[in-house]
Every structure is written in C-alpha cells, then in structure tokens.
Amino acid sequence: HPSVWGRGLLHPRAPSPPLLWVQLPAQLSSSGSGAAMVCRICRGSAAGKGTAGGTRAATMAELPCAEPLPRCSGRFTISTLLSADEAVGCEGTQLSGSSLCTRTFGYNTVDVVPAYEHYANSRGVGEARRGRPSLADLHSILKVRPWCKGCCNGLPDTEEGAPAHTHGRVPIALQIRCMLNIWGVILYLRLPWITAQAGIALTWLIILMSVTVTTITGLSISAISTNGKVKSGGTYFLISRSLGPELGGSIGLIFAFANAVAVAMHTVGFAETVRDLLQEHNSLIVDPTNDIRIIGVLTVTVLLGISLAGMEWEAKAQILFFLVILVSFINYLVGTVIPASAEKQAKGFFSYRADIFAQNFVPDWRGPEGSFFGLFSIFFPSATGILAGANISGDLKDPAVAIPKGTLMAIFWTTVSYLVLSATIGACVLRDASGSLNDSVAVGSPGCEGLGCSYGWNFTDCAQRQSCRYGLSNYYQVMSMVSGFGPLITAGIFGATLSSALACLVSAPKVFQCLCKDQLYPLIGFFGKGYGKNSEPIRGYMLTYVIAIGFILIAELNAIAPIISNFFLCSYALINFSCFHASITNSPGWRPSFRYYSKWAALFGATISVVIMFLLTWWAALIALGIVVFLLGYVLYKKPDVNWGSSMQASSYNLALSYSVGLSEVDEHIKNYRPQCLVLTGPPNFRPALVDFVGTFTKNLSLMICGNVLIGPRKQKVPEARQASDGHTRWLLKRKIKAFYTNVLAEDLRSGVQMLLQAAGLGKMRPNIVALGYKRDWQAAAPQSLEDYVGILHDAFDFKHGVCLLRLREGLNVSRVPQAHSKCCRHAVVGTVLLIGNGTLKPRQDMPCGKKMVLFAAVTVVLRGGAVLMSAFPFAADPEQQASTIFQSQQGKKTIDIYWLFDDGGLTLLIPYLLGRKKRWGKCKIRVFVGGQINRMDEERKAIVSLLSKFRLGFHEVHVVPDINQQPRPEHIRRFDELIAPFRLNDGFKDEAAVNELRHGCPWKISDEEVHRHRAKSLRQVRLNEILLDYSRDAALIAITLPIGRKGRCPSSLYMAWLETLSQDLRPPVILIRGNQENVLTFYCQ
C-alpha cells in the first residue's frame, strides 16, 4: 500500500485478515534480493475498528523473537525491517489511553515506553521477567535478551502489574477492623469505672492524650505506608523498611509479643463478663478467678480455630461483631433517655441529671489504681487498635490507600464514641449505690448524705463503709444496667472483646512471620513457614496461642493492661521517629503520597510516647527500652545481609556529605596529619599482606583506598570492572579491612596509576601516600614494565605523595596460590576448588580430610556452558600463603627496627609508631637507628633522643650506626656488579649523545658514566644491607628510609638494583618509606 512507503507505517483501511503478505522493494529488503517478508497482524478490539488511529494491530517481521504474539493491539510498523539492530525489540507495551501496541510510540524500536513492570520487584511464578533494555543494548552492540520474547503485553492486572486503586471510597473493611480493635474490652468494662475515678474532665483528658498520640502515629503510619508498596508484616515492615533492620527487628519482636498479650487481655475481658453472668445466676464453675481462666482458655482455642480457617472466615466474623457492637451502642444511648425504674435507681441510675454530671465532673480517686497515670495505663491499650489494619497490610488490595483513610476514620469515630460514652454515663449514674430497694427514703430525710438523698435514695451507709456493689465506681457492668435491653450490651461486650482478641490473634503471627523471613534473629525461622495459598503462619498462630494462654492464667484485666501499654507506646515512639527521621534526611526516595503529616508533629509524638512510658511505670519502661537496646545491639553486631534503603542509610550519607564539605573549609595542620593511603593492590585478594599492612595502621584512623588498574580492551573490561568491584568490596569487608576499592581502565599500568593519583579521594579525604609492593620479578620482567614501575614512584613524588614500599621475602602476590581453606584442615585445601566469576576460589567439601600435608586440588573454571577442568596439581602449605597472613598474627616480644637515615619529614617514624599502637604489635619494642660519625656518637645520640622525646613517640632506644660509609665486603660488591651487568650498555664512557643513541628504545640501560657517577650511592646500599643483616636479622619488621633516584638521571634498572641490594636476604618484612619532605610530626601545640 502506498501509505507503507510514505511513513514506514501500514494503516489497514478495512478489517484485516489474520495474516498479511507485504511485498517490499529490493532496496528495502533486509536480504537485498527483493524477497517477500512476512508481517503478522492481530485484529484489534471491536471498539477500535474502522479508524486509523483507533484500530489496534501490530506487525512483526521475521525477527529473533522465539514466541508468537499472544495478543496484539495498536498500529502497524515496518520500520524495524530497515535495521537489524532495531529489530530485536519486539515486545510491546500499551500505554493508558493509547492505541499503540508497539514498544515506542508506534515504532518497533529497542527503546521502550514507561511501564509498571519495569519498576516492580515481584513477578508471577514461571513468568519471564520483563524489563527495559540495558544501557548497553541502546548504546553498544545489541544482544538478544529474554525481555525480547513476546509482544504487545499490556500492563498486568495482578500484583505484578499496576495495582487496582480504590481512591474513590473510604476502605470500610479496614476501618471496621481498626474500630473493632480500638473499642475492645475497655469500652464496656472499664471506661465507666475510669470516669468515676478520674471524673469526666480528666477522663476526657486521658482520652484526648491517648488520641493525640494515636492520631500523630496514624498520620506517621499513613505517610510511611504511602511511600512505596507495602507488603505483609504491618508495623514491623513499616519500621524496618524505614529505619532499617536494627530498630525494625527489635520493635517487630516487641510488637508481635504485645499483640499476643493483647489477645489475653481481650479474652480475659470476655471471660470476666461470662463469669459475672454465671455469678448472677449462682452457676460458677469453680470459683471467680479460676472460672476466668477456664473460660479464657476455651475462648482463645475457639478463636484460634476461626483464625486457622482463613482470612475469609475471620473477615466475616469481624463484620458480624461490628454490627453487634453498633446495635449495643445504640441500645445504650436509648437506655440513657428512658426513665429509670426503681430497680435501676437502686443501682444508681437516674437518667440525665445536671447535679450528677457536676459531681462526676471532678475526680474521686480510689484504690491502688487511683491516680491519673494509673488510669491512663489501663485506658491506653484501648487506643492501640489503630495498627490493626496496618498489621494485615499483606492482605489488603491497595494498602497505600486503605491504611491512611481507614485508620484515620477509625480514630475519629472511636474517639467520638469514647467521649460520648464518658459524658453520658457520667451524667446519669452515681458513683456509689447499694442496689437494694429497701434503701429508698423520703426526699430530705435526716441522716441521709450524698446526692442520692435528693432523689429519694439513701446510699450513705454503704458509701461510708465502701461496701457498695453498684454505681460507677463499683460495678463494671454498669452499661448493661443503663441500657434499654441488657442482653444487647452483653452481646456488644462479647463482640468487642472477641473481635479485638481475634484481630490481635491474626496480627501477631503475621508480623512475626515477616520478621522470621528476614532472618534477623536466630532460632525463630521455624515459625516463619507459611501454609496454603495465602501462606498462613500456622506455627506462628500456635506460638501466639501459647503466649496468650500464659497471660490468661493471670486472670486480672487491670494487671494485664499496663503490661502491654509500654510495649505499644514503644512501638508508637519508633513509628513516629521513623516518619521524622525519613523526613529530616531529605532523601529523594521519601515521597509519600499522603501529605497531611508534619515531621515536627511526628517528633513530638515520639517524644511524648517515651515520656508517657516513664510516667506510667518507670521500671516497665526501662525493661522495654532495655529489650530494644539488647535486640538493637545484636543486629548491629551480626550485621545481617539486608538492604532496604532505610532512612538510616540516607542519614549516614547526609552526615558524610556534610562533614566532607565542612572538612574542605578547614585548613590542614600538621597536628591533624593522617597517613591517607592509595594502595596499589590490583585485585585486593591477590596481595592480602599489603592490604593487611596498610589496613593495620589506617584502621579507625585514616583513609585507605585499594586501587586496581584494568588493562585491556575497553568493551571487555567495562563489564568486568563493574562485576569485580562488588566482589572485591565484599572481600575487604569479610577480612575486616576498612577501606574503599576503586578501579580504572587504562592502556597501561602507569597511565592508570596516574589517573588514580589525580582522581582518587574526595575533598580533603585524598591520599597523600602511595603504598605498593616490591616488584620481585624485575630482573626477568619485560623491560617496559620495569620502566613503568619506577615511573610510578616518580609520578608519586611529582604529585607530592609519600611512598611506602613493602617487600616480603616470600613475595606479595598470592594470585597463583589457591585462596581456600578446608573447614577441618587448617593449612591445606582438600577437594575441588572452583574459580567463581570474580576470581575468588571456593573449595568443595565433598572429600574427607586427610592427615597428609601434601594434597591434590583440582582447579575448575565454571563457565555458563558448564564446568571445564583446567588442571590438577599437588600443593602443600605454601610459604607465600603463610606470608599473606603475617600482619594478622601476634608478633610477640620482638622489635620494630626503624632506620631513619634521611629526614623525610617524619613519615619513616610515624608509620611504625601507628603500627606499634595496634594490639598485635603492642608487645614489640621499637628501636631507632640513625647514621653518625664514630667520634661524635654520644652527641648525635643525645640530639636524636631529645628530638624524639619532643615528638612524644615513646621511642627511647636509639642506636647510632657510625660505619655506614665503610667499604662493603668485596663479595657483596661483586654480587651488586653481577646484578646490574645484564642492564649495562658497556659503552666505554662515550659522550652523552652517543650514549643516548645507543640507549634509544631501551632507556633502562645503564651507561658506564652513570655507574661511575652513582658508585658511592650504590656501595652505600650494599653496606646498609650488611648493617641490616647484622642488627635486624630477627626483627618483626624493618622500616628504612627509601632512597631516591633522580628522575632522568638514574636509570630504572640501576634504581631497582639499589632497592634489591638494600633489602635482599632479610627474613622480616621490609618497608621502604619516603615522605614528601614536608613535616608530618611537630612538637608545637599550635
């Protein structure tokens, strides 16, 4: 069709057949032969037929997509036929309100439009993960990837797709659950009694204080729950994903335990009501206390059965309970306006009276609980049900909408009900009444005291003896007496207590299950296993059941309620602090869709919760906080391998950024000098001794960066660098080295090190020392690598860095030694060693340990296509392997010998001093050797001792070496000459121009003139080696000032011969140190 060639699109003008053949011209054919190509077309929806823009169809050429189109809609494209690279992206994504089927705006390109599944973490079982193409797919060579399979898949309708939002209405189910849990046992059985004790005014204050805490907490929960997808785990999930596993884990255990105890509290309230009914009919089972225990255990067993039946049965039961409570509440309000009968008047009810309201407006404290905070601790659990909805977040269709609306509406309506009940009951019922019809008297009778006398009732006798059985202060079932029909109140009590107990019985296992799955604590994973399609935590139900029975046996409601008040307040404090902390860190990831919260209100809520905890019961508050601190310390110690993007991470970043920027504003001072090291390790696990050495004196003190130069083709090394970086960082953490790892891509080693010297670090936290290993194979290595190695030292000095060079007799590079240890053989590797991705070696434990020290190991390289055996070889406890751990072992009472031969600013002294402060080196005695003249040894020694004392380093043993300039032994001189012989030009002292011509292309060659000019310095290195062998053969460590070869005047081979001669044949590790000739030590105080 002509429209095909005009826009590269095929617009069907009529209902299209299932398959359409399109003949393309030869110049557009991918093969260039004019062969026909196939485009597959799907019919669109009926609504889209007949219009070019609305018709839903798509085309797909013979592209490398393995599966046929399951369904398709949108416009045709053939533009992908023009480019083989662009042809791969055949998966479509349908935008809302668009008729486009293809991946990008009608064109079948690799780049894709935004879609929900690109950001979702989860996917269905067996469903291939669909995602956006990688940057390499768009920018580099295109490869066929799994996301290419399939086409025209719109947004899914399940959890893996866009959630079905319910913004248009208040989530009634969650609101009902919260209201049922808030009302609970306190509403019917204790609120009238609290009103009698505290008076209407203070009762309202107690209610409003509780509601203030819960409302602020509700706002905080709403903000946190709308800042991302909420899964199962409720309160624990919200806190742990906001504050991190440390606080989240501790509060998860506490909150799950508090809910389990709340099951007992509500069940005891139910059992207390049943016991009272039995008592009225003289039908007690055993006695009042044991009846509560018996009824409570039977009740919680029935509730467990309902819970195990599944959420559907539990939800239906909750709705039934809610209706019963509403009817009972209406029944109570109707009863308050019905004129009181004589029987009710005898029990203290007189309908609404202003003088009764006035008397009950003020407090009348009685009994051991007769205090404001004592009553607050009893009432507060009734406000804790606000988290009932959040605790089942995993079962909600859209938690981000349901939790804020349902929770806040539940708080509002329950608060109104509490205030109304307190005011109405306080305006209708006296505090004390006998319940006896014989106590009626004529109004104004003499000897009658109290407000009841004005209504014709004399309750003076029982009030004075405090033996009244009825009235607000004495009768817990007063609401049943006031109501129009008493059994309805009893039914309401049953509904409130059982619904709250059921909600807590469901919440506790759900929270605990999420905690178990995160594996933050040992020995609890057993209870996290889920059963059935909804993954019901049956084992968690049983644990909650056991805990609830344990507290039901207390059989005293007033004793159980304060126990859980502190735990709930602790939870609320952390929820509010989570919201405040997430807001104050200004993390870009903190974007809650619920806007009606304040970070300062959240901070106030957290503070007031902690204050109330101590005002209620200070010792219980200390216990709760102690448990939190203990669990917090355990998680900090274990450091679980989880990463939830918590606000603690954001706060750490903010602090690091703030301090780093602030540090840049401060001028450097010698007193604050710290050796900040760039360690040229290559892969850190290849040179563990070098890493351990630098890590020992920089740990908790200064910066350490492990640098690695990757040499090779850029396309090959870029993905390798990205993958290896994480592995090397984990290796450093596992070895307990506090260091950073960085790598650069370069054409050669020297240019890569130059990049690191210039770019490593941040602000004032930049390396000032380059630490590297001694090039042990310099004589056999390629001459250019020798030139690069010495050039690196020159570059370090050019950039004003100090140099620290470490030499071990066994060598530093252990990359050829298998890095694995058997569990039962300390110094040998048994079995097959697998080389995994990033270069680490992993042992297989499928062979028994033997007693021989020489064992066989097979190195296997694991490839994508399978395992390929490369070699098998015997090895023993290699000396190189032992040397790799030398800086991790105790050094004992040896010596650290410092040869401070030349003044480099004090770095030669500072590094051994820092090393000696560590525990492993603490027993070593530090000795300082300096050069001097034999006729002035005492004066020079006193001068150095005086200088060292001013530095306060604690070095008291100083030796003056007078014979440094003596002639070395002839055999050692001869060995040095043999060492440099392969690198000499043997030019016969020709002029400089002739030497340069002879040395063209091989600058490492040594002319005869250079040998002669540096003869004295060469012999000094030979003599120093003799001195080191004489004085420091048994030292734990030798530190010596690094000689410097002048750049451009000293060939690299001659310089390496100096270093080789200076440090050869020495058993202890040798560190050659040279500062940048600026002071790093001072004896001034300013």
Side-chain angles (χ1 to χ4, degrees):
H1 195 279
S3 63
V4 173
W5 322 126
R7 296 178 56 193
L9 300 173
L10 180 63
H11 298 274
R13 303 299 174 89
S16 53
L19 188 65
L20 176 68
W21 290 84
V22 180
Q23 181 70 38
L24 299 178
Q27 62 270 26
L28 294 181
S29 173
S30 60
S31 63
S33 62
M37 301 192 70
V38 181
C39 290
R40 198 181 298 271
I41 299 175
C42 296
R43 293 182 183 273
S45 61
K49 292 180 180 180
T51 62
T55 304
R56 315 191 66 183
T59 66
M60 184 179 72
E62 296 281 346
L63 305 177
C65 294
E67 298 175 3
L69 297 173
R71 58 187 175 89
C72 198
S73 58
R75 303 171 65 185
F76 304 121
T77 73
I78 60 169
S79 60
T80 53
L81 302 179
L82 306 180
S83 171
D85 285 349
E86 293 290 316
V88 180
C90 59
E91 180 179 343
T93 300
Q94 180 181 349
L95 290 176
S96 177
S98 172
S99 62
L100 303 180
C101 162
T102 51
R103 292 187 72 88
T104 309
F105 307 115
Y107 291 89
N108 205 11
T109 65
V110 175
D111 219 349
V112 298
V113 294
Y116 174 84
E117 61 265 25
H118 300 163
Y119 299 89
N121 289 328
S122 57
R123 58 183 184 272
V125 177
E127 179 184 352
R129 177 68 180 270
R130 293 187 300 242
R132 68 177 69 84
S134 69
L135 188 61
D137 291 327
L138 301 176
H139 181 256
S140 303
I141 298 176
L142 184 64
K143 297 179 181 179
V144 178
R145 296 181 181 271
W147 53 260
C148 170
K149 297 181 180 180
C151 181
C152 305
N153 291 323
L155 295 180
D157 300 325
T158 60
E159 181 191 358
E160 291 74 32
H165 295 286
T166 56
H167 290 279
R169 60 184 178 86
V170 176
I172 300 298
L174 186 139
Q175 179 182 335
I176 290 175
R177 176 179 292 275
C178 288
M179 291 177 70
L180 286 173
N181 212 26
I182 291 172
W183 275 332
V185 65
I186 303 297
L187 172 68
Y188 291 96
L189 299 183
R190 290 299 182 269
L191 187 56
W193 173 77
I194 292 174
T195 304
Q197 290 266 4
I200 297 174
L202 291 183
T203 300
W204 276 39
L205 181 60
I206 289 173
I207 295 171
L208 294 177
M209 282 179 60
S210 303
V211 170
T212 299
V213 175
T214 56
T215 302
I216 294 174
T217 307
L219 295 174
S220 298
I221 285 179
S222 301
I224 296 173
S225 63
T226 57
N227 189 52
K229 193 165 183 134
V230 180
K231 298 182 180 179
S232 62
T235 306
Y236 161 70
F237 184 89
L238 297 177
I239 297 179
S240 62
R241 270 54 176 180
S242 180
L243 279 181
E246 297 84 7
L247 287 173
S250 58
I251 208 60
L253 275 179
I254 287 177
F255 192 75
F257 178 75
N259 272 280
V261 178
V263 175
M265 182 188 74
H266 294 295
T267 305
V268 167
F270 169 80
E272 195 176 278
T273 304
V274 175
R275 188 272 318 267
D276 291 342
L277 291 174
L278 294 175
Q279 201 168 12
E280 287 182 4
H281 296 85
N282 296 321
S283 301
L284 289 177
I285 304 173
V286 180
D287 57 66
T289 301
N290 285 316
D291 281 10
I292 292 178
R293 293 168 178 159
I294 295 171
I295 297 169
V297 170
L298 294 175
T299 303
V300 77
T301 304
V302 173
L303 293 178
L304 176 65
I306 295 176
S307 300
L308 293 178
M311 286 295 295
E312 295 180 0
W313 284 94
E314 190 261 348
K316 293 176 181 178
Q318 294 282 25
I319 294 175
L320 176 63
F321 290 146
F322 181 72
L323 294 176
V324 170
I325 292 174
L326 284 183
V327 172
S328 69
F329 201 75
I330 294 171
N331 173 52
Y332 159 76
L333 293 176
V334 170
T336 59
V337 297
I338 296 176
S341 63
E343 183 179 351
K344 288 186 177 182
Q345 287 184 358
K347 295 180 179 180
F349 173 63
F350 296 94
S351 193
Y352 292 104
R353 302 295 174 94
D355 48 358
I356 296 179
F357 180 85
Q359 186 185 55
N360 289 335
F361 191 78
V362 295
D364 180 23
W365 309 113
R366 301 181 185 181
E369 298 95 358
S371 65
F372 180 82
F373 287 105
L375 296 177
F376 183 91
S377 67
I378 294 175
F379 173 80
F380 188 77
S382 67
T384 58
I386 63 169
L387 299 179
N391 289 338
I392 59 164
S393 54
D395 298 310
L396 299 175
K397 195 171 187 179
D398 190 1
V401 176
I403 291 175
K405 289 187 176 182
T407 301
L408 295 177
M409 290 300 294
I411 292 174
F412 173 77
W413 288 115
T414 53
T415 302
V416 170
S417 66
Y418 282 141
L419 295 175
V420 169
L421 177 61
S422 176
T424 53
I425 203 75
C428 297
V429 184
L430 296 175
R431 283 193 170 102
D432 294 297
S434 63
S436 174
L437 296 175
N438 297 327
D439 288 337
S440 61
V441 294
V443 177
S445 299
C448 182
E449 299 178 0
L451 194 58
C453 299
S454 59
Y455 303 123
W457 293 88
N458 184 6
F459 303 133
T460 306
D461 185 43
C462 73
Q464 291 177 348
R465 290 185 299 168
Q466 295 185 352
S467 60
C468 296
R469 293 180 55 198
Y470 294 94
L472 285 179
S473 297
N474 309 295
Y475 188 46
Y476 290 148
Q477 305 286 344
V478 67
M479 282 188 64
S480 179
M481 181 265 294
V482 170
S483 65
F485 183 63
L488 283 179
I489 297 296
T490 302
I493 295 173
F494 288 175
T497 53
L498 295 178
S499 64
S500 297
L502 189 58
C504 293
L505 186 58
V506 171
S507 299
K510 295 280 187 182
V511 173
F512 194 61
Q513 182 186 35
C514 186
L515 178 64
C516 294
K517 288 182 177 180
D518 287 335
Q519 298 180 347
L520 299 181
Y521 301 105
L523 308 178
I524 64 173
F526 172 81
F527 299 100
K529 185 177 180 181
Y531 294 87
K533 63 177 182 178
N534 293 327
S535 187
E536 293 293 338
I538 295 179
R539 296 174 180 175
Y541 281 124
M542 300 307 298
L543 178 63
T544 305
Y545 173 74
V546 171
I547 294 173
I549 287 179
F551 281 87
I552 286 172
L553 297 180
I554 298 176
E556 178 55 51
L557 186 62
N558 290 358
I560 298 175
I563 294 175
I564 62 176
S565 291
N566 273 302
F567 289 129
F568 279 117
L569 280 168
C570 191
S571 303
Y572 291 173
L574 280 176
I575 290 173
N576 287 308
F577 182 73
S578 300
C579 181
F580 166 76
H581 196 265
S583 302
I584 204 70
T585 53
N586 293 321
S587 172
W590 175 250
R591 302 185 303 273
S593 57
F594 181 82
R595 300 292 182 182
Y596 305 103
Y597 73 96
S598 168
K599 58 185 176 184
W600 302 115
L603 178 62
F604 173 77
T607 305
I608 198 66
S609 296
V610 175
V611 170
I612 292 174
M613 283 175 63
F614 282 92
L615 291 176
L616 294 182
T617 315
W618 64 267
W619 55 268
L622 288 176
I623 292 175
L625 292 179
I627 294 174
V628 171
V629 171
F630 172 77
L631 296 174
L632 170 66
Y634 177 82
V635 177
L636 286 173
Y637 173 75
K638 295 297 290 184
K639 292 183 174 60
D641 187 18
V642 295
N643 184 8
W644 297 326
S646 66
S647 62
M648 288 297 182
Q649 294 174 329
S651 177
S652 299
Y653 177 85
N654 285 352
L655 289 174
L657 181 62
S658 176
Y659 287 136
S660 298
V661 173
L663 195 63
S664 300
E665 302 172 358
V666 180
D667 293 333
E668 294 180 353
H669 195 280
I670 301 174
K671 289 197 302 182
N672 293 325
Y673 174 85
R674 294 169 185 261
Q676 304 185 119
C677 297
L678 170 62
V679 191
L680 302 181
T681 60
N685 57 325
F686 281 12
R687 294 170 179 83
L690 180 60
V691 173
D692 292 338
F693 163 65
V694 180
T696 300
F697 68 82
T698 59
K699 186 175 183 180
N700 299 326
L701 176 75
S702 58
L703 175 69
M704 175 180 172
I705 300 176
C706 294
N708 184 17
V709 179
L710 299 175
I711 304 170
R714 184 174 180 180
K715 291 181 180 179
Q716 174 186 346
K717 292 298 179 179
V718 167
E720 178 184 325
R722 191 183 306 114
Q723 295 172 3
S725 180
D726 293 338
H728 293 319
T729 301
R730 285 193 297 269
W731 183 89
L732 290 170
L733 292 174
K734 186 176 181 180
R735 204 170 178 92
K736 298 182 179 179
I737 301 295
K738 295 189 175 181
F740 298 98
Y741 169 82
T742 185
N743 51 40
V744 293
L745 302 178
E747 295 180 357
D748 56 73
L749 177 64
R750 185 174 181 182
S751 61
V753 173
Q754 289 172 345
M755 295 178 193
L756 290 172
L757 288 170
Q758 297 176 79
L762 181 68
K764 291 293 177 67
M765 298 182 63
R766 302 178 65 86
N768 50 31
I769 296 175
V770 175
L772 69 166
Y774 177 73
K775 188 172 180 61
R776 191 183 180 194
D777 62 344
W778 67 274
Q779 301 175 64
Q784 185 57 46
S785 68
L786 171 62
E787 191 74 11
D788 288 345
Y789 181 81
V790 177
I792 289 171
L793 302 181
H794 290 309
D795 294 336
F797 292 131
D798 287 341
F799 288 110
K800 300 289 289 183
H801 284 59
V803 171
C804 182
L805 194 150
L806 174 64
R807 179 175 185 178
L808 297 183
R809 186 174 62 177
E810 300 83 0
L812 289 171
N813 193 339
V814 297
S815 60
R816 295 175 297 276
V817 181
Q819 304 292 302
H821 299 278
S822 174
K823 290 184 178 179
C824 52
C825 294
R826 175 173 292 183
H827 297 298
V829 179
V830 181
T832 300
V833 183
L834 300 181
L835 180 64
I836 310 297
N838 62 357
T840 59
L841 296 167
K842 180 180 178 182
R844 282 176 50 187
Q845 305 296 333
D846 54 357
M847 295 179 63
C849 285
K851 295 183 179 180
K852 295 182 180 180
M853 290 303 295
V854 178
L855 303 164
F856 283 90
V859 175
T860 307
V861 179
V862 180
L863 303 175
R864 290 185 180 178
V868 181
L869 181 66
M870 294 194 63
S871 61
F873 55 90
F875 66 90
D878 197 289
E880 295 183 19
Q881 184 67 31
Q882 292 179 340
S884 68
T885 60
I886 186 171
F887 291 98
Q888 290 188 330
S889 56
Q890 295 289 339
Q891 300 301 318
K893 295 183 179 181
K894 299 180 181 180
T895 62
I896 298 176
D897 291 349
I898 304 173
Y899 287 82
W900 194 26
L901 303 178
F902 305 100
D903 190 352
D904 61 344
L907 188 63
T908 306
L909 296 175
L910 182 61
I911 290 180
Y913 165 74
L914 296 175
L915 204 62
R917 291 168 55 181
K918 302 302 179 181
K919 184 177 180 180
R920 294 190 181 106
W921 297 81
K923 295 181 180 180
C924 293
K925 182 173 63 174
I926 298 180
R927 303 188 299 178
V928 179
F929 295 83
V930 295
Q933 299 179 14
I934 194 168
N935 57 349
R936 299 184 62 237
M937 287 182 59
D938 291 340
E939 292 85 348
E940 292 179 352
R941 183 181 181 280
K942 289 178 181 178
I944 294 297
V945 169
S946 175
L947 179 61
L948 294 178
S949 65
K950 288 183 172 62
F951 287 147
R952 307 173 305 280
L953 296 174
F955 301 162
H956 301 298
E957 187 171 343
V958 177
H959 300 269
V960 178
V961 182
D963 50 357
I964 290 179
N965 293 322
Q966 289 183 4
Q967 189 75 2
R969 289 197 287 270
E971 62 271 20
H972 292 159
I973 297 175
R974 190 164 48 252
R975 185 171 63 174
F976 175 79
D977 292 335
E978 293 172 355
L979 182 64
I980 64 173
F983 301 95
R984 295 189 62 172
L985 277 175
N986 296 316
D987 57 295
F989 292 93
K990 293 182 179 179
D991 58 17
E992 187 175 353
V995 169
N996 290 337
E997 185 176 351
L998 288 172
R999 197 158 50 186
H1000 180 70
C1002 47
W1004 53 86
K1005 289 289 188 178
I1006 312 169
S1007 68
D1008 293 344
E1009 171 62 26
E1010 288 167 338
V1011 172
H1012 176 71
R1013 185 170 62 243
H1014 296 99
R1015 190 63 177 176
K1017 196 169 186 177
S1018 299
L1019 294 180
R1020 188 188 306 136
Q1021 312 310 320
V1022 178
R1023 177 58 188 155
L1024 283 173
N1025 180 254
E1026 294 176 351
I1027 293 173
L1028 293 175
L1029 290 171
D1030 290 340
Y1031 288 93
S1032 303
R1033 186 182 299 272
D1034 297 322
L1037 180 71
I1038 300 174
I1040 186 170
T1041 306
L1042 174 72
I1044 294 182
R1046 192 173 298 276
K1047 184 171 63 173
R1049 306 296 293 173
C1050 178
S1052 57
S1053 55
L1054 179 59
Y1055 182 72
M1056 288 303 299
W1058 291 348
L1059 301 185
E1060 176 72 24
T1061 301
L1062 178 63
S1063 57
Q1064 67 185 354
D1065 298 333
L1066 294 172
R1067 185 198 59 79
V1070 179
I1071 53 174
L1072 298 111
I1073 305 171
R1074 171 66 72 162
N1076 61 0
Q1077 301 303 114
E1078 295 182 0
N1079 289 351
V1080 300
L1081 298 173
T1082 181
F1083 43 77
Y1084 293 109
C1085 62
Q1086 63 179 7

